[in-house]
Amino acid sequence: MSIHNAPRQYLNWGTSLGLLLILGLAVELLLQQYGLRQQQAEQQRLLAHANEVRAVLLGELNATLHLATGLATYIPAKAGRIDPAELEPWLKGLFQQGRHIRNIGLAPGNRLTFIYPLAGNEAALGLYYPDTPKQWPVIERIIASAKPMLDGPLLLVQGGQGLIYRVPVFLPDQSYWGLISTVIDFDRLYAEVEAVARQRGLSISLLPLDGALPQQSAEAEAINLVVPVAGASWQLQARALEPLQPLPLGLRLLGWGLALTVSLLIGLALHSQQRRASLLLALNQSQRDFLQAFERAPQSMALVDNRGCLLVVNQAFCRLLQLHATQLVRQPLEHFCVPEERADLLQHLAAIRPGPNRSWTQHLLDAHQQRIAVECSAAILGPVADTDQARILHIQDIRERQRLQRLQNEFTASVSHELRTPLTAIAGALGLINGGALGEVPPAMAELLQIAQANSQRLQALISDLLDMEKLLAGQMRFELREQPLWPLLQDAVAHNQPYASQHQVTLQLQEPAAPLSVRVDAQRLSQVMANLLSNAAKFSPPGSQVTVSAEDLGDRVRIAVRDRGPGICEEFRPRIFSKFAQADGSDRRQKGGTGLGLAISKELVERMQGDIGFDTAAGNGTTFWFELPVSTSRQESSTL
Ligand code: ADP
């Protein structure tokens, strides 16, 4: 089984590993998606904030530039004449409104003749633009295009960086008048915009574009915006002050941990499912094996429920009753039993217990109503089909055995009958010879004749035992049951058997019961039982010991016990002791004599007198054989009154 399971197991764990990789990949994809989303959100935030910063920058610049544009309409209105006394308070007002204006200069005919405020800007006064090669090309372009333009940032003569907003002024007759230059403090403006950007978590840089396309930053997370203002274009580059946090390691670990757990759980589930499947398979296989063995067994077998209803029957059982399985299954077993034994069968079925059970004989009826003698043995099997405790019945056809037994008994009986008459004659003749009835026996013959007489007596005893047994088995032994006092019967038995016991140097001792006891027995059969038990006790007792005979009142029964101090009966022999021809040791026959029939006959006799026989023994501590007989009916009647 394990050989078949190994590739399956590899497959299961391979599946789990594959699943782990797929789940891990999914985790990585999800994390990537999550990271991208985060990045996109960050970009959106950056863009929104960069736009805000650009709006601030544009707002600041445009506000300032509009002031200068307003001034450009003043000069044509004055036909190009500049009256410093009139202009100064006005410029002062403009200067105070334009927060980033560093100075405003008027350059009629391209010469800077008026600067407000003059203080700090004296160096620039009188500057003639065509003489400044750095600025003049730009100024020329402004004049040519007649459009104001913002230039810079430039290093200012006065120091620092500035943006210069130059507005070309044309008189009403379209003749060129000169330039108005507004110098914006770039450093201050930039610092202010940068502060706004910092508040929004951005770092910015501002680059002039000079007509070029906005440069794409090398960094993906930087935002580039064009800032178009008055003929110039700048690029506002913004990036987050704090870089985007990489995805936390914990999240990745959690994802992989989950993937691992799920894969492991699925792997375990697959593993246990496969184990269950293979166990089921093995179970099915063993059930099939059992059913096959059951079905094909040469002995008849059947499963019955606790009410004796047949659940399953095997082929041998069907053959035995010559019926088809369908005619047997779900039928009570008693239907196939001879009517007079049905109650017995039900009793036997009800008495089945877990563990070893005794077998019993029964007569079944086959399809042709023929009686079949069977020996049944049973065991509790456990739950089968819908039944809690099914029983398995083993039914053995004993007709042949019984036939052979009968033949054997008949043979033994006829041989015994044939032997009895000549043996009686031989024993009688030997008795007469040894008794000296025919004259004195010559000493040379005496010993041999004694042995011959003893052996013929033993043969007579054997034949008498065999005939008794045969009579008992054939039910031909007559019993004359009579109520009688027990004490004289026991006294007789002891007296009759003492001579035999004395041969073994054993004394028989009778213990008188406390009160007189009566039993209902056949006196001759009781003395036969006593003779057997006493002779056995004497035979197996050590010389010089005592054999005790006692009687005990058990209420409705009387127990008669014969106790010896012999070697006891060994464990293995105990179950067979009441069987015919049973002897513990084959050498007993030679050493102690006997046929092995005595106890079998005693058991039959006691049972025919409605009694029980048994024994208690302990190795090395002697044996007590006992039998119990029903007390006399008058006693029973008086005790029930
Ligand atoms: P047997 O004629 O051989 O005595 P029994 O049927 O009376 O036949 O006894 C059968 C066997 O039981 C004996 O051979 C002996 O082994 C054993 N047995 C009987 N009684 C006793 C006893 N009191 N002590 C020990 N063993 C005994």
Side-chain angles (χ1 to χ4, degrees):
M1 195 170 72
S2 60
I3 297 169
H4 293 292
N5 277 346
R8 282 264 184 92
Q9 275 186 10
Y10 289 135
L11 191 72
N12 282 347
W13 290 116
T15 311
S16 303
L17 196 71
L19 196 72
L20 174 66
L21 288 178
I22 291 169
L23 287 175
L25 207 70
V27 166
E28 284 301 321
L29 275 172
L30 278 174
L31 288 175
Q32 203 185 27
Q33 282 295 316
Y34 178 71
L36 274 174
R37 288 267 161 81
Q38 290 275 89
Q39 225 172 19
Q40 275 172 0
E42 180 65 6
Q43 287 286 94
Q44 297 272 327
R45 190 185 71 82
L46 274 182
L47 188 66
H49 287 166
N51 274 323
E52 278 172 29
V53 171
R54 180 172 70 167
V56 169
L57 177 64
L58 280 172
E60 288 293 335
L61 276 174
N62 285 335
T64 309
L65 300 186
H66 282 142
L67 294 175
T69 315
L71 185 61
T73 55
Y74 164 78
I75 291 169
K78 287 283 175 184
R81 283 187 309 276
I82 300 171
D83 180 0
E86 187 187 279
L87 204 57
E88 201 145 320
W90 199 54
L91 282 175
K92 192 175 173 187
L94 276 184
F95 192 77
Q96 278 164 359
Q97 280 179 48
R99 289 194 299 130
H100 305 292
I101 297 176
R102 191 160 167 177
N103 59 62
I104 302 172
L106 302 182
N110 293 331
R111 186 175 296 280
L112 201 55
T113 51
F114 187 87
I115 299 179
Y116 184 86
L118 189 57
N121 298 311
E122 292 89 349
L125 198 65
L127 180 78
Y128 183 52
Y129 290 125
D131 295 342
T132 53
K134 273 195 183 160
Q135 295 187 33
W136 181 239
V138 178
I139 294 168
E140 263 191 315
R141 272 209 308 280
I142 293 170
I143 298 167
S145 67
K147 279 187 182 150
M149 190 188 269
L150 189 71
D151 190 16
L154 304 165
L155 278 175
L156 298 175
V157 188
Q158 312 84 308
Q161 283 194 103
L163 299 173
I164 304 177
Y165 184 55
R166 297 189 180 95
V167 185
V169 181
F170 292 88
L171 294 177
D173 58 358
Q174 300 304 313
S175 59
Y176 173 68
W177 173 80
L179 282 172
I180 300 172
S181 300
T182 309
V183 177
I184 298 167
D185 189 337
F186 179 75
D187 292 335
R188 225 168 74 197
L189 175 69
Y190 188 74
E192 198 158 301
V193 173
E194 206 176 29
V196 171
R198 200 172 300 115
Q199 274 172 7
R200 285 161 177 72
L202 296 182
S203 84
I204 54 163
S205 52
L206 202 59
L207 314 161
L209 269 179
D210 292 334
L213 282 172
Q215 287 174 11
Q216 279 308 315
S217 166
E219 310 151 56
E221 56 274 13
I223 295 283
N224 292 309
L225 289 178
V226 177
V227 188
V229 67
S233 278
W234 288 325
Q235 177 176 287
L236 178 73
Q237 199 170 67
R239 62 176 62 76
L241 271 175
E242 282 174 17
L244 194 63
Q245 291 295 318
L247 281 176
L249 183 69
L251 210 61
R252 174 163 275 116
L253 284 179
L254 187 75
W256 275 93
L258 269 175
L260 190 70
T261 314
V262 170
S263 318
L264 270 177
L265 285 177
I266 289 178
L268 283 174
L270 282 173
H271 181 66
S272 69
Q273 202 188 7
Q274 193 212 314
R275 252 182 82 84
R276 267 183 53 196
S278 52
L279 281 176
L280 270 176
L281 213 71
L283 193 69
N284 282 346
Q285 182 62 41
S286 79
Q287 273 177 348
R288 268 202 302 277
D289 291 350
F290 169 76
L291 280 176
Q292 215 169 41
F294 176 84
E295 188 63 20
R296 296 187 188 167
Q299 296 295 342
S300 305
M301 284 199 263
L303 297 188
V304 294
D305 67 12
N306 45 4
R307 282 163 294 140
C309 194
L310 290 163
L311 298 171
V312 193
V313 291
N314 73 350
Q315 293 168 3
F317 188 61
C318 295
R319 277 199 302 274
L320 180 73
L321 296 190
Q322 298 180 45
L323 286 167
H324 194 263
T326 50
Q327 295 171 288
L328 291 163
V329 171
R330 281 193 287 280
Q331 297 293 326
L333 180 61
E334 57 178 295
H335 282 187
F336 307 98
C337 175
V338 292
E340 64 272 22
E341 289 179 8
R342 282 180 185 167
D344 275 359
L345 174 67
L346 289 177
Q347 255 181 9
H348 282 299
L349 289 176
I352 302 169
R353 297 278 171 268
N357 280 282
R358 292 170 79 177
S359 56
W360 73 93
T361 53
Q362 197 83 50
H363 287 88
L364 300 182
L365 290 172
D366 69 7
H368 310 293
Q369 298 301 300
Q370 291 294 318
R371 284 167 75 96
I372 308 167
V374 291
E375 188 179 81
C376 303
S377 42
I380 289 193
L381 200 64
V384 170
D386 297 334
T387 313
D388 274 353
Q389 282 200 326
R391 286 114 165 94
I392 185 162
L393 275 188
H394 181 271
I395 301 141
Q396 197 174 1
D397 183 353
I398 53 168
R399 284 176 296 183
E400 184 60 15
R401 200 166 85 193
Q402 283 185 336
R403 193 180 68 81
L404 291 175
Q405 188 71 54
R406 254 194 322 274
L407 279 179
Q408 188 192 334
N409 289 344
E410 281 166 19
F411 174 74
T412 318
S414 66
V415 170
S416 307
H417 273 294
E418 292 305 317
L419 284 176
R420 191 159 64 167
T421 319
L423 250 179
T424 314
I426 294 167
L430 285 169
L432 285 173
I433 294 167
N434 286 334
L438 303 177
E440 202 176 325
V441 181
M445 287 186 199
E447 196 184 341
L448 275 176
L449 283 170
Q450 290 286 349
I451 294 172
Q453 190 186 3
N455 279 327
S456 65
Q457 279 168 350
R458 280 179 68 182
L459 263 174
Q460 266 187 312
L462 169 66
I463 282 169
S464 137
D465 275 359
L466 283 171
L467 285 172
D468 277 354
M469 196 70 220
E470 191 260 322
K471 266 193 202 162
L472 276 167
L473 291 177
Q476 287 168 352
M477 188 172 277
R478 286 179 52 135
F479 284 82
E480 278 177 30
L481 298 176
R482 226 167 29 83
E483 285 172 37
Q484 48 200 307
L486 178 63
W487 181 243
L489 296 177
L490 296 183
Q491 274 181 322
D492 273 2
V494 168
H496 275 108
N497 288 284
Q498 184 57 60
Y500 177 78
S502 300
Q503 288 174 20
H504 296 272
Q505 290 105 57
V506 171
T507 321
L508 304 182
Q509 196 197 31
L510 179 59
Q511 288 181 347
E512 194 171 352
L517 297 166
S518 285
V519 282
R520 192 177 141 76
V521 287
D522 180 319
Q524 200 196 334
R525 303 300 165 210
L526 181 84
S527 76
Q528 207 177 335
V529 174
M530 285 304 290
N532 180 52
L533 297 187
L534 288 171
S535 64
N536 276 349
K539 255 192 305 188
F540 293 100
S541 286
S545 65
Q546 277 192 343
V547 167
T548 323
V549 179
S550 62
E552 193 187 348
D553 186 355
L554 299 178
D556 59 343
R557 292 168 92 80
V558 170
R559 175 181 276 216
I560 297 135
V562 176
R563 179 169 181 242
D564 64 52
R565 274 85 179 162
I569 297 159
C570 63
E571 187 90 42
E572 310 82 68
F573 183 56
R574 288 176 201 169
R576 290 188 292 124
I577 195 162
F578 289 108
S579 310
K580 282 188 280 176
F581 304 107
Q583 290 184 312
D585 181 349
S587 60
D588 278 3
R589 197 186 299 255
R590 270 173 279 118
Q591 283 178 6
K592 313 271 184 192
T595 59
L597 276 172
L599 285 177
I601 292 171
S602 300
K603 184 171 164 32
E604 285 292 329
L605 291 174
V606 169
E607 284 176 358
R608 295 288 161 97
M609 293 189 284
Q610 280 86 51
D612 275 327
I613 190 166
F615 63 95
D616 302 313
T617 185
N621 208 12
T623 308
T624 302
F625 271 93
W626 52 259
F627 59 96
E628 289 173 6
L629 293 169
V631 295
S632 74
T633 38
S634 60
R635 237 300 284 288
Q636 272 178 314
E637 277 157 18
S638 64
S639 67
T640 45
L641 282 172

